[in-house]
Amino acid sequence: TSAATLTRLLVETACRPGDPVAILSLLKHPLLCLGIERAVVRRAAETIELVALRGGTGRPDGAALEELFEKRLTEFAGDRHAPRWFGRMSAERIEEARRALRKLRVALDPLLVVRGASAVALTEIARATVVALEMAGRGTDGDLNNLYAGDAGQKLAEFLRSLLAAECPMTLTIEEWPDVLGALIGPEIVKPAAGADGRIAIWGALEARLQTVDTLVLGGLNEGSWPRRADADRFMSRAMKVGVDLEPPERRIGLAAHDFWMGTGAETVVLTRAARAGDAPAVASRWLQRLIAYIGPERAADLGKRGDTLQRWVRSLDTGAEMPFAKRPSPTPPIEARPKRFSVTEIETLRRDPYAVYARRILGLEPVENLLRDPGVAERGTLFHAIMHRFTEAAVDPDAADAEETLANIGRQCFAEARLPADVEAVWWPRFRALAKNIVRWEREHRAGVVRRYAEERADAIETGNCGITLSGRADRIDLRPANMADILDYKTGSSPSKGQAHTLLAPQLALEAAMLKRGAFKAIGPVEPSQLAFVRLKANGEVEEQSILEYDRRIKSAGALADEAWSRLEQLFQHYNDPATGYLSRALPFREGETEGNYDHLARVLEWSAGGDSDESGGEE
């Protein structure tokens, strides 16, 4: 029940820190009021969820939730890559969240006081639980009407009174209390007086005979179910029953027939039966057969048509047979609503899954981060990029004797700033140490002819074509060479994108950076001709491999030619989406067949339209 769920979530949050699901479930529980308007608490819960509970890598504690909220607020305020929703969050919403957090801390205090004790008496912790619960469920007027309302609330109050009155010498630790409470409250059963819905009741024959309703469903009209078979008593024969003046089994058929006839006197009656009993067809009740024979085939057919309608409704709820598949979305927003600025990292998404660009840039939707997650591939890539950026910026001479140790020190600083969980750092740090030696070796081999190295160099937005759309970006590394030439390098800690995808411009980021380099978008470097475009793969086994994208499948292109081709294709792509009739098609060019793991695939209902075989580009405006 709702009241008991609030009790158990409150205890779980206070006694077992570290579970963000329990904390969020408590914050969004409909009975959590904290003496504040419920709508304010619910809005505050969403703010707390986004700021403190989403995207973190630690284990949140309900006792320190207020401190965590303030810490994350400070981090977002100083982060230039903070999520867009943070910029839209008003000061009023933040103050509401702070108020709710203060009230929640006060409500949890009775349980937090005993959290440090090695053993607590059952009556003591039960009393602390009741105090905390009533503070959490108190309304704006200080009342507990909602908490103890209805059958469930009254049952909870009765249970808590019996728990407080129990004379039990039992002691337990605070960590054991959630399980003990669950065991104590588990056997308690709430049986609502009016059933699950006050408008619907399931009655026996006697109850139905004594009451009047608008619509009555007479169910189970199969022979053998209603009426039941007049089977002989397995303990007393028919003769024995007659000898002691007991009624014969046939009398029950007469009583059931009386109940059936009285039931048909309701204002609206639905007669139902099962078409099959087990694996065999079922036989209609003799009463139903006689009724149909009496009213005639025409009237019976009319009744059957109304029954068919009811059956279609039920089947559509069960199987969705009457529900058409969703169309493949391809929304066509007006030109003025379409994005006019792109970064080089977004172009591949625009080609592969235009709907994702529509959802993010036009609808303004961003995926919500997980409640609790360990750092993964993306975080490892960010960390190793930061190390390489600082190493390049420091202009360390790779031929120096201490070059590897300098790289290791930079790595230690970046690892310390990342504040990784101990188990993750135990895996990643040895991997980096294995890489460090090979990174220095690769730098020695690559440095020949390099005049200057640029790390994380930003390219200003430049217009593409004649449609008013601009492109900007940031290159991981640019190595300037003599004769006004330069290499563009992109660090990769994974296998995607592949060399072939970059060469064929399915993944055009490197080639577009080269095109921007030719056009002088990198202001600190000026117009320079690209000479090499390559991925620098930092592999898990410690190897460092420079992988040029200029040669693939025995085809060789120059960096300048690949850059010009990428720029030409980009102009065509932007012109294509500058047409108001062009829609943002879902999954236009997916990475793999059947892949449905995109951030916006659920919004595009990919599983529905792909199951329905809808592969055309229609979908209309949404």
Side-chain angles (χ1 to χ4, degrees):
T1 65
S2 187
T5 303
L6 176 66
T7 309
R8 298 185 67 174
L9 286 172
L10 191 71
V11 168
E12 190 77 24
T13 299
C15 301
R16 288 179 178 166
D19 185 0
V21 177
I23 296 174
L24 186 56
S25 301
L26 174 64
L27 288 169
K28 293 189 174 183
H29 196 283
L31 291 181
L32 183 75
C33 292
L34 302 169
I36 312 172
E37 297 85 351
R38 176 59 207 154
V40 174
V41 176
R42 185 64 177 80
R43 194 162 55 245
E46 294 177 0
T47 305
I48 297 167
E49 174 186 0
L50 287 172
V51 174
L53 299 177
R54 292 284 179 180
T57 56
R59 301 275 175 174
D61 185 352
L65 197 57
E66 196 172 355
E67 293 82 354
L68 177 61
F69 181 81
E70 296 297 336
K71 176 186 173 186
R72 294 293 297 276
L73 272 181
T74 305
E75 290 176 355
F76 283 138
D79 186 2
R80 62 186 179 90
H81 297 300
R84 289 196 294 176
W85 56 257
F86 180 71
R88 298 194 295 262
M89 189 166 289
S90 65
E92 181 184 1
R93 286 196 61 173
I94 292 175
E95 285 305 314
E96 287 177 348
R98 285 171 172 158
R99 181 186 175 197
L101 284 170
R102 286 193 297 269
K103 294 276 189 176
L104 180 63
R105 175 56 191 263
V106 172
L108 292 173
D109 267 344
L111 285 167
L112 298 177
V113 167
V114 297
R115 194 160 86 174
S118 57
V120 187
L122 177 63
T123 52
E124 181 183 355
I125 197 168
R127 189 174 296 107
T129 300
V130 173
V131 173
L133 175 65
E134 294 190 345
M135 293 177 71
R138 200 171 297 280
T140 53
D141 298 330
D143 61 87
L144 298 170
N145 294 339
N146 288 337
L147 180 62
Y148 295 130
D151 297 318
Q154 293 172 16
K155 188 70 175 181
L156 178 64
E158 179 185 333
F159 167 77
L160 294 175
R161 280 195 295 267
S162 64
L163 192 62
L164 292 174
E167 296 181 2
C168 178
M170 176 182 177
T171 60
L172 64 155
T173 65
I174 190 73
E175 292 82 7
E176 296 171 330
W177 175 230
D179 293 332
V180 173
L181 177 63
L184 292 172
I185 206 172
E188 302 292 335
I189 297 173
V190 178
K191 187 176 182 181
D197 192 314
R199 299 169 298 173
I200 301 173
I202 300 175
W203 293 330
L206 177 61
E207 294 172 293
R209 186 193 314 160
L210 299 175
Q211 300 180 75
T212 302
V213 291
D214 296 331
T215 300
L216 189 69
V217 179
L218 301 180
L221 285 173
N222 288 71
E223 192 65 20
S225 297
W226 197 7
R228 300 177 101 185
R229 291 187 179 88
D231 295 330
D233 196 308
R234 67 184 64 183
F235 298 108
M236 297 181 69
S237 67
R238 186 182 299 273
M240 293 170 66
K241 285 189 173 186
V242 172
V244 294
D245 293 333
L246 292 178
E247 62 183 30
E250 290 80 8
R251 176 171 171 75
R252 295 183 183 177
I253 296 178
L255 291 174
H258 177 263
D259 294 334
F260 171 77
W261 193 244
M262 291 194 68
T264 57
E267 182 177 347
T268 302
V269 182
V270 181
L271 306 177
T272 69
R273 74 178 190 90
R276 302 183 67 84
D279 295 331
V283 178
S285 168
R286 67 189 74 172
W287 302 330
L288 187 57
Q289 294 183 51
R290 290 171 185 172
L291 182 62
I292 291 173
Y294 175 75
I295 64 176
E298 293 183 1
R299 295 288 302 280
D302 292 339
L303 295 178
K305 289 178 182 177
R306 290 198 288 273
D308 291 341
T309 302
L310 295 176
Q311 284 184 334
R312 282 197 300 271
W313 291 350
V314 172
R315 286 173 183 153
S316 67
L317 291 174
D318 287 342
T319 65
E322 301 296 322
M323 301 292 289
F325 283 102
K327 288 186 177 181
R328 188 178 188 179
S330 183
T332 54
I335 292 297
E336 57 271 16
R338 302 190 179 204
K340 301 299 181 186
R341 294 176 296 172
F342 284 89
S343 68
V344 290
T345 56
E346 292 177 302
I347 302 305
E348 183 177 4
T349 306
L350 183 62
R351 290 200 62 196
R352 290 188 176 275
D353 191 8
Y355 187 87
V357 174
Y358 165 77
R360 184 174 181 271
R361 298 291 301 278
I362 299 175
L363 297 185
L365 302 175
E366 291 193 14
V368 178
E369 296 188 67
N370 294 328
L371 276 175
L372 182 64
R373 61 178 178 82
D374 289 329
V377 175
E379 286 74 22
R380 188 178 73 241
T382 301
L383 175 60
F384 284 18
H385 271 69
I387 294 172
M388 295 300 294
H389 173 212
R390 293 190 186 183
F391 184 69
T392 304
E393 253 192 349
V396 178
D397 183 1
D399 290 326
D402 62 345
E404 186 179 337
E405 186 58 33
T406 302
L407 178 59
N409 290 334
I410 292 173
R412 289 190 190 96
Q413 295 173 6
C414 292
F415 268 78
E417 293 170 6
R419 296 191 295 274
L420 299 171
D423 56 335
V424 175
E425 185 168 343
V427 175
W428 289 6
W429 177 250
R431 179 181 295 184
F432 169 71
R433 287 296 292 163
L435 272 170
K437 182 185 299 184
N438 292 322
I439 289 173
V440 172
R441 183 183 296 119
W442 170 78
E443 289 280 7
R444 288 171 186 159
E445 296 170 355
H446 180 78
R447 66 171 297 184
V450 174
V451 176
R452 184 175 177 183
R453 295 177 291 179
Y454 294 86
E456 293 286 334
E457 192 62 36
R458 178 165 184 79
D460 293 342
I462 58 174
E463 187 171 345
T464 307
N466 299 315
C467 51
I469 301 177
T470 62
L471 184 72
S472 61
R474 188 184 296 271
D476 286 351
R477 177 164 160 181
I478 299 177
D479 286 354
L480 193 62
R481 292 185 177 276
N484 207 32
M485 304 286 285
D487 298 343
I488 301 182
L489 307 176
D490 192 0
Y491 301 121
K492 294 295 179 186
T493 54
S495 59
S496 183
S498 68
K499 174 181 176 180
Q501 290 168 344
H503 182 85
T504 57
L505 300 179
L506 282 175
Q509 180 177 343
L510 262 179
L512 288 175
E513 288 173 359
M516 298 176 77
L517 182 67
K518 289 182 67 175
R519 287 158 177 78
F522 294 92
K523 298 298 184 183
I525 303 174
V528 173
E529 189 70 22
S531 59
Q532 180 61 278
L533 307 177
F535 294 135
V536 179
R537 299 201 182 273
L538 310 177
K539 298 185 176 181
N541 60 3
E543 294 181 6
V544 177
E545 179 186 1
E546 183 177 331
Q547 197 176 70
S548 173
I549 70 168
L550 300 179
E551 181 180 356
Y552 174 70
D553 196 20
R554 288 183 286 187
R555 293 194 300 267
I556 300 176
K557 296 180 181 178
S558 69
L562 191 63
D564 291 340
E565 183 181 351
W567 195 258
S568 175
R569 289 193 187 185
L570 180 66
E571 290 179 339
Q572 294 173 15
L573 185 67
F574 284 168
Q575 288 289 354
H576 177 67
Y577 283 101
N578 206 40
D579 182 353
T582 301
Y584 288 81
L585 184 67
S586 172
R587 298 177 59 76
L589 192 64
F591 279 99
R592 300 175 188 86
E593 186 70 26
E595 182 185 48
T596 56
E597 298 179 357
N599 289 327
Y600 302 98
D601 283 351
H602 63 296
L603 184 66
R605 300 169 73 176
V606 168
L607 290 176
E608 278 193 53
W609 61 255
S610 58
D614 184 2
S615 60
D616 60 47
E617 298 197 6
S618 63
E621 186 171 346
E622 291 190 355

